[in-house]
Amino acid sequence: MLSIAGAGAGGIATATKLAKAGFDVTVVEQHDFVGGRCSLIRHDGYRFDQGPSLFLMPELFEEAFEDIGTSMSAEGVQLLKCEPNYRVWFPDNDCFELSTDIVKMKHQIEAHEGKDGFHRFLAFMQESGKHYELSVKHVLRKNFSSYVSILRPDFFATIFDMHPFESIYGRITRYFKSDKMRRVFTFASMYLGMNPYEAPATYSLLQYTEIAHGIAYPVGGFQTVLQALADVGKRMGVKYLFNSPVNSVILSKDQKTVEGVKLENGKELRADLVVMNADLVYAYNNLLPPSKYARSLKTRAASCSSISFFWSFDTVIDELDVHNIFLADQYSESFDAIFKKHSLPEDPSFYINVPSRIDKTAAPAGKDAVVVLVPIGHLLENQSDVKDWDALVANTRNLIFDTIETRTGARNLRQRLLHEDVNTPVTWREKFNLDRGAILGLSHSFFNVLCWRPKTKHDDIKGLYFVGASTHPGTGVPVCLAGGKIVSEQIINDWMPERRTRTVLSTQLLGPLVLLISLLLVWYNLGQSGSHWQRRFAVASA
């Protein structure tokens, strides 16, 4: 018997794959729906994606279905191509359309970068494509269960090709000269809840998949993809218990072996294995016995949070496309406010999704459903008690309306608004048990990923595993699906001796070597940073 706590993307993928392997799987979920943050809000004929709305990295979605002997199309998932990918609006009312149409991209880039700008863009695409391919092959399809994992020859030989010790923004300056294009090709780091001036350059893979693979939108909302995956699991015998929040993980008397989960209603589900798909930091601190490691997780760098508006309009806002990004005038300062001051910038960048622009089922005819996501710093201790969230939401709402109308020419938005739902960092924390209200889990800085990220298997409790945004390989629906495959294969390897693979490397012998290599990596990183600032000083002096 195997219990999975949480029906998010990683939990669903794990459940389905393990059911196919022959495990008896039960998924317990605190809500009455699958998907976790990747879920829907409905109101009077309007539908909103509460979490992700950008369908990226399609091969990972396809692989999740292929691994269980089916496909998205066979399960009724219909994808609509977004063209353009999205519109980027600048403070001077200029607009740039990111697109898979290379001719369109060429004309726009050359307008900002000059005639050689397109060639530099192609060079950027070649590098970001390499980041994508190497990351998928060596990170998203492999586990990093110990420090020894980083020494795999195939991975270690490619690590510097992924440029993890340079920031996305720093790397992009090699390819684009204009401030606008540098902003256009760095904002996607916010998909990971990270500052582009600090996020490893590896994550330019996001810009690559947007342009090379395009952006799609699932008919019926993003949750339909995960619902389809869950339905396949049900056919294989997976049982889902909804409205069943977990109170604690049941352990043996010596607290060395998992024995199941206890629900808040007092019911106990006995199990030989437990996979935790709840927020990992929350799970360690609330569902397991207190520990020094659990407390340390609360001090780790976390992703940002958001104020998210879900708006029902009585009209179609033609000036907005499916996906829109409005960039702050003070771009760098806005990220400092989010990630250093843990606050809302005075002039924030923000994202708008209009699902009804591409999927008419998202709103009544002649009307629009609009989602606005405004990044804000995650919660600090007791911050929810001292912030006037109502005032902050009201001010943010007015700022968003003013910005849209000023930059796009849309008018009378306040008067056309019929209904509003709002999520704040406090909402995210309370609704989904997200530590600090961080919507994308722990940060993805270099020493917070790979073998340094919380493991998919508990070190001391036999039979306890983890999947989701804050464990390996990281956040985002496609990445969590990949994580589901990784932890499923780990469980099969651990519990089906006939399929077990041999461990070749000795952690006792290689542990000190990994420590040495880690120190060398830090030294290299500091050296690169020093060189960067020396170059900047030289330029400034000149």
Side-chain angles (χ1 to χ4, degrees), residues 379-380 382-385 424-438:
L379 295 171
L380 302 176
N382 297 324
Q383 185 174 4
S384 59
D385 300 325
T424 68
V426 177
T427 311
W428 292 116
R429 184 186 63 188
E430 294 177 350
K431 187 183 292 188
F432 296 106
N433 294 324
L434 302 182
D435 177 63
R436 290 168 278 180

Side-chain angles (χ1 to χ4, degrees), residues 131-369:
H131 291 169
Y132 178 89
E133 298 297 339
L134 292 176
S135 296
V136 169
K137 180 179 180 180
H138 297 295
V139 179
L140 301 186
R141 292 198 172 114
K142 300 287 180 66
N143 206 345
F144 285 76
S145 55
S146 70
Y147 291 123
V148 174
S149 305
I150 203 171
L151 292 180
R152 285 195 295 260
D154 58 345
F155 171 76
F156 200 74
T158 63
I159 189 169
F160 293 106
D161 291 331
M162 291 189 277
H163 303 103
F165 305 115
E166 296 179 69
S167 72
I168 289 180
Y169 196 90
R171 194 74 193 170
I172 213 74
T173 59
R174 297 169 179 257
Y175 298 102
F176 298 101
K177 299 177 181 178
S178 68
D179 180 63
K180 285 185 177 179
M181 292 302 95
R182 290 176 178 180
R183 296 183 182 199
V184 164
F185 289 99
T186 57
F187 184 80
S189 67
M190 290 300 291
Y191 300 169
L192 297 171
M194 292 192 71
N195 184 344
Y197 294 89
E198 297 176 351
T202 311
Y203 299 127
S204 67
L205 64 87
L206 293 166
Q207 284 88 350
Y208 172 80
T209 188
E210 284 181 345
I211 297 170
H213 305 143
I215 293 175
Y217 185 80
V219 174
F222 213 118
Q223 187 191 36
T224 60
V225 180
L226 297 183
Q227 184 64 63
L229 196 60
D231 289 343
V232 177
K234 290 178 183 178
R235 296 201 302 265
M236 295 177 174
V238 177
K239 295 176 285 293
Y240 280 84
L241 300 181
F242 294 106
N243 299 308
S244 301
V246 173
N247 174 268
S248 61
V249 177
I250 303 171
L251 302 178
S252 59
K253 289 183 179 180
D254 62 2
Q255 297 191 339
K256 294 294 185 181
T257 305
V258 74
E259 293 187 349
V261 295
K262 182 178 181 180
L263 305 183
E264 286 190 358
N265 62 13
K267 182 178 181 180
E268 294 185 353
L269 297 179
R270 293 288 166 172
D272 303 303
L273 298 167
V274 170
V275 179
M276 188 59 61
N277 186 217
D279 179 80
L280 182 140
V281 181
Y282 172 85
Y284 263 99
N285 283 276
N286 295 274
L287 306 181
L288 292 169
S291 67
K292 182 178 180 180
Y293 180 70
R295 292 189 294 272
S296 73
L297 290 173
K298 295 182 74 67
T299 66
R300 286 206 186 193
S303 61
C304 68
S305 189
S306 78
I307 296 176
S308 296
F309 297 95
F310 307 93
W311 286 338
S312 303
F313 284 96
D314 70 357
T315 187
V316 171
I317 307 171
D318 292 315
E319 292 81 1
L320 295 176
D321 212 318
V322 185
H323 306 292
N324 312 264
I325 290 175
F326 291 77
L327 294 178
D329 187 14
Q330 302 299 316
Y331 190 64
S332 175
E333 291 81 355
S334 71
F335 292 114
D336 287 342
I338 296 168
F339 295 98
K340 295 180 180 179
K341 300 177 182 177
H342 299 287
S343 63
L344 180 72
E346 292 183 10
D347 173 31
S349 298
F350 57 92
Y351 162 73
I352 293 182
N353 169 229
V354 188
S356 49
R357 186 65 65 254
I358 192 167
D359 180 1
K360 299 304 180 184
T361 66
K367 301 178 182 181
D368 264 343

